[in-house]
């Protein structure tokens, strides 16, 4: 039932006699993680609703509105512009072969789900998510915040670095980032410092790498990782507050493109 990170921290708390402190750290981590998830859901709700309404509007126009104009267009003879012909062809195909369209969408959805369920498919899909416009940067910073917070909690609880990285890789929530964390673990196992291992995987920006290096030199790695996690939480919070204004131009262009095609037709 419980994620690997929870189990490992509780085990370390039992072994070191700091179980109460371990539960307190887990409670704070769960609250912060849930708060971030809720904010992401609330920020993405508006764009999802707009995209669904656009899809419904296109379906209604294609299935019911455009066929009403078809007799008028045909009365014009052969002098019909190609945008109108294209819209009429799409409408006729959707009305006559709607079951093929729906079946094709269903088959494509199942195939994509099966591919994403495979290890290579999950890795590829999670990598694509990190490259999405606007959303990709938000996902990346959210994962960095979770990784930094998990590292800080685990190291503060007394977990060894190698065990900590292995556990974090299992609970990162992104297969591509998990693979990078495992590469860090392998580098640490070879004797490299954590900061150099983090630099070798290309996952962290220079700010995090500098904080890791300073933390290793001063012996305050968990405290500085807490600062890194807080920094990225503030960045994610700012991005979430401005997500609607960032996505709005994309939605306007999408709606404008649909209107333009229909107007040309």
């Amino acid at each position: 039932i419980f994620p690997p990170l929870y189990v490992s921290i509780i085990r370390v708390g039992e072994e070191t006699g700091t179980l109460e402190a371990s539960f307190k750290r887990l409670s704070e981590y769960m609250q912060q993680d849930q708060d971030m998830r809720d904010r992401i859901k609330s920020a993405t709700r508006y764009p999802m609703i707009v995209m669904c309404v656009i899809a419904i509007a296109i379906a209604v126009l294609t299935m019911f509105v455009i066929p009403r104009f078809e007799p008028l267009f045909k009365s014009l003879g052969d002098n019909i512009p190609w945008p109108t012909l294209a819209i009429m062809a799409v409408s006729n195909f959707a009305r006559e072969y709607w079951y093929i369209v729906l079946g094709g969408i269903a088959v494509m959805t199942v195939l994509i789900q099966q591919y994403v369920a495979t290890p290579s498919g999950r890795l590829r899909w999670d990598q694509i998510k990190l490259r999405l416009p606007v959303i990709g940067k938000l996902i990346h910073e959210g994962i960095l915040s979770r990784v930094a917070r998990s590292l800080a909690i685990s190291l503060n609880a007394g977990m060894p670095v190698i065990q900590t990285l292995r556990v974090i890789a299992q609970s990162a929530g992104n297969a591509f980032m998990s693979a990078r964390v495992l590469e860090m673990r392998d580098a640490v196992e070879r004797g490299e410092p954590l900061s150099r291992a983090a630099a070798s995987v290309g996952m962290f920006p220079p700010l995090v790498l500098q904080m890791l290096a300073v933390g290793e030199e001063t012996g305050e790695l968990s405290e500085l990782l807490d600062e890194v996690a807080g920094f990225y939480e503030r960045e994610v919070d700012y991005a979430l507050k401005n997500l609607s204004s960032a996505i709005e131009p994309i939605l306007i262009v999408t709606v404008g493109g649909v209107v333009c095609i229909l107007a040309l037709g």
Side-chain angles (χ1 to χ4, degrees):
I1 297 175
F2 299 99
L5 178 66
Y6 294 10
V7 177
S8 300
I9 290 178
I10 292 172
R11 181 182 295 119
V12 170
E14 288 179 319
E15 294 174 353
T16 58
T18 58
L19 190 58
E20 182 179 353
S22 298
F23 275 121
K24 184 177 180 180
R25 294 189 197 100
L26 271 180
S27 173
E28 295 171 352
Y29 172 79
M30 291 169 65
Q31 290 174 359
Q32 293 161 347
D33 189 59
Q34 186 62 42
D35 181 54
M36 182 178 297
R37 290 175 183 271
D38 292 341
R39 284 182 292 171
I40 291 175
K41 288 180 181 178
S42 62
T44 55
R45 191 174 295 123
Y46 165 72
M48 293 299 296
I49 291 175
V50 172
M51 295 305 295
C52 290
V53 171
I54 292 174
I56 293 172
I58 293 175
V60 171
L61 288 170
T62 302
M63 300 295 292
F64 302 106
V65 178
I66 295 175
R68 298 293 183 91
F69 290 91
E70 189 173 354
L72 175 63
F73 293 148
K74 289 184 177 179
S75 66
L76 299 176
D78 296 332
N79 192 23
I80 301 177
W82 68 266
T84 306
L85 291 175
I87 289 178
M88 289 170 56
V90 171
S91 176
N92 290 331
F93 181 83
R95 283 186 294 119
E96 295 180 10
Y97 302 103
W98 59 270
Y99 53 91
I100 296 179
V101 175
L102 294 180
I105 293 174
V107 170
M108 186 65 66
T109 302
V110 171
L111 290 177
I112 292 175
Q113 288 178 342
Q114 290 180 348
Y115 175 70
V116 172
T118 63
S120 59
R122 169 58 60 181
L123 183 66
R124 181 62 178 165
W125 171 240
D126 286 344
Q127 186 178 8
I128 291 174
K129 286 194 294 186
L130 295 175
R131 296 178 179 177
L132 292 174
V134 182
I135 300 294
K137 184 174 183 291
L138 182 64
I139 295 174
H140 187 207
E141 290 181 345
I143 294 174
L144 288 179
S145 173
R146 180 183 300 176
V147 169
R149 184 73 68 188
S150 302
L151 264 174
I153 291 174
S154 303
L155 295 176
N156 204 15
M159 286 177 61
V161 176
I162 295 175
Q163 180 186 355
T164 297
L165 292 174
R166 185 180 70 252
V167 171
I168 290 175
Q170 296 173 348
S171 58
N174 184 286
F176 182 76
M177 299 295 273
S178 296
R180 304 285 81 77
V181 175
L182 289 177
E183 290 179 9
M184 287 175 57
R185 183 203 63 181
D186 295 340
V188 173
E189 281 184 332
R190 293 193 298 267
E192 295 184 12
L194 183 62
S195 56
R196 189 181 304 169
S200 65
V201 300
M203 171 180 165
F204 298 100
L207 171 67
V208 180
L209 299 178
Q210 293 172 5
M211 297 283 271
L212 288 174
V214 172
E216 287 177 327
E217 293 175 2
T218 59
E220 298 180 350
L221 188 57
S222 60
E223 290 82 358
L224 289 177
L225 283 170
D226 259 331
E227 292 291 332
V228 170
F231 169 77
Y232 279 113
E233 286 170 2
R234 291 189 293 272
E235 287 290 304
V236 170
D237 185 46
Y238 176 79
L240 288 174
K241 290 179 180 177
N242 295 276
L243 183 62
S244 297
S245 60
I247 293 180
E248 192 170 339
I250 300 176
L251 298 178
I252 292 175
V253 170
T254 303
V255 176
V258 174
V259 174
C260 179
I261 292 173
L262 293 174
L264 289 175

